[in-house]
Amino acid sequence: MTKRTLRWGALALAVATLAGCASTENALKDANTLLQDREADKLLPVTNLSPYALALGRFGRMLDIYKEGDPVIYMQTRSILDATNLSSPLVGAEIPGDITEMVRTAVNRIGARVVYVPYHPDYLVSQAQLGAKFGVTMPDFLITGALTEFDRAIAGAGRVNSAGIEFGKGNGKVTLGGDIKRTAIYSALALDLNLVSFATQQMVPQVQASNVVKVLNFSSEDNASLGFYGDAFGFKLEGKYLQGRHSAIRTLVDLSVLELVGKATNTPYWRCIPNGTPDPVVVENMRAGYNALTPELKLGLIQVTLRKYGEPVQVTQKYDDQTRQALEKVYAQRYAALGPVDVMTWQGFEPLFFGVPMAWDTAQTPALAGAAPAPGGAAPAGAKAGT
């Protein structure tokens, strides 16, 4: 076989090999493989829940217990907008300009005892022109407010660790080096919400929420290098994390709506939040309201509260044996550390009212405000109604 024949044979083999690799069938196969790989790595949608979304659902169940028999509360909102003007496209539209829909979603999470009343007059007028008829529900309360603060870079810090070493001389010189850099910057976002009585168009005193959340901007940088004989090699790794501002605002909204409705209903909403602390506005409202009741009404409220503990007492507004036994049982089981108390005083009734059992309770005695052992706390635990 001549050299020319071998050359032509090798060329034909190369052409055949290339033709086989670049065939339509292989191209489709590669495309399908690529599609499957990318589809497997694709991020799927998830439920958009803030850390306080669960608390709103718990609060709805709390209202079912505390407000059993009470009328439904109807709520509406004005437009909740950005008051900082940093949502403008001229400054980068860093935060949303309208968060009304977030507020509506938060209110609607609570449940059937707090109902949101939409306000869309243009839609209603258009439907009425087509012959539709509507029943109009007037709200009890109107939520107003705005995003009131966005302070960039209120605090920031960075750290750098560097190391390098050299050994050898001349053409045999070798250098090793590396550094680690971390930078963290905090900004702050604040939301203010207030409650307005729809009938009077007056703000409800002390029923407001003003909360702030810090947003993190974090960056990292790692470098390493190796050099020898005058040549150098190296690598660099960079990372960046910017906490979502829209997500942070949703967290603010959920917490603020929980606080707002909790104050409006004088319900211990803080028990829906892990490690929550009593709200002094709710505590003071309940203290003043309880102290203003007549002895008969106090006994009726005590009996209603005992029923929430599962005690089968009758609401007679009298201190009968059934009520006495139920009080002694509940206080001995749940509030023994308080010692003897008089439930006709606010100090004695407060733990009973704020400690109504909830399905998510992890401890017997929740956080109470102002609850303290009575004098003689070493005596057997119990409760009585003073005369």
Side-chain angles (χ1 to χ4, degrees), residues 199-334:
T200 64
Q201 288 296 297
Q202 296 177 349
M203 282 192 175
V204 182
Q206 293 189 309
V207 179
Q208 80 290 316
S210 180
N211 295 298
V212 63
V213 63
K214 292 181 175 62
V215 181
L216 174 64
N217 185 350
F218 176 81
S219 61
S220 63
E221 182 179 316
D222 298 331
N223 295 283
S225 62
L226 170 64
F228 56 91
Y229 298 113
D231 296 319
F233 304 91
F235 72 87
K236 180 178 181 180
L237 297 177
E238 292 182 327
K240 188 174 182 65
Y241 170 76
L242 177 61
Q243 186 177 348
R245 291 167 184 158
H246 291 65
S247 177
I249 289 172
R250 183 178 295 277
T251 301
L252 271 179
V253 167
D254 286 351
L255 172 61
S256 298
V257 168
L258 176 65
E259 179 183 346
L260 200 70
V261 182
K263 288 179 177 178
T265 57
N266 284 321
T267 309
Y269 67 90
W270 56 87
R271 294 183 58 196
C272 303
I273 307 170
N275 302 316
T277 56
D279 189 316
V281 173
V282 176
V283 173
E284 177 58 26
N285 287 344
M286 285 305 306
R287 184 197 65 79
Y290 188 76
N291 289 337
L293 295 177
T294 63
E296 292 78 14
L297 291 177
K298 285 183 179 179
L299 281 169
L301 181 56
I302 291 168
Q303 290 166 336
V304 169
T305 307
L306 285 171
R307 292 175 64 87
K308 301 181 189 304
Y309 282 79
E311 298 299 321
V313 299
Q314 300 298 316
V315 183
T316 63
Q317 296 188 356
K318 296 179 180 179
Y319 188 61
D320 49 31
D321 289 341
Q322 192 180 45
T323 302
R324 177 182 57 78
Q325 293 172 5
L327 279 171
E328 291 177 352
K329 175 184 175 182
V330 170
Y331 274 77
Q333 290 179 347
R334 304 179 69 88

Side-chain angles (χ1 to χ4, degrees), residues 77 192 386:
T77 65
D192 286 40

Side-chain angles (χ1 to χ4, degrees), residues 82 102 114 125 127 134 141 146 247 317-318 336 341 345 350 369 376 382:
D82 164 39
M102 291 187 187
V114 179
V125 170
Q127 293 296 316
F134 304 97
F141 297 106
S247 177
Q317 296 188 356
K318 296 179 180 179
V341 295
T345 66
E350 180 187 10

Side-chain angles (χ1 to χ4, degrees), residues 82 84-98 152:
D82 164 39
T84 68
N85 292 323
L86 292 174
S87 60
S88 169
L90 298 177
V91 291
E94 297 180 72
I95 56 177
D98 189 337
R152 297 189 194 89

Side-chain angles (χ1 to χ4, degrees), residues 73 272 349 362:
I73 298 174
C272 303
F349 177 69
T362 57

Side-chain angles (χ1 to χ4, degrees), residues 61-73:
R61 296 192 292 277
M62 178 178 281
L63 289 178
D64 290 337
I65 296 173
Y66 273 96
K67 302 300 176 181
E68 182 181 6
D70 286 6
V72 172
I73 298 174

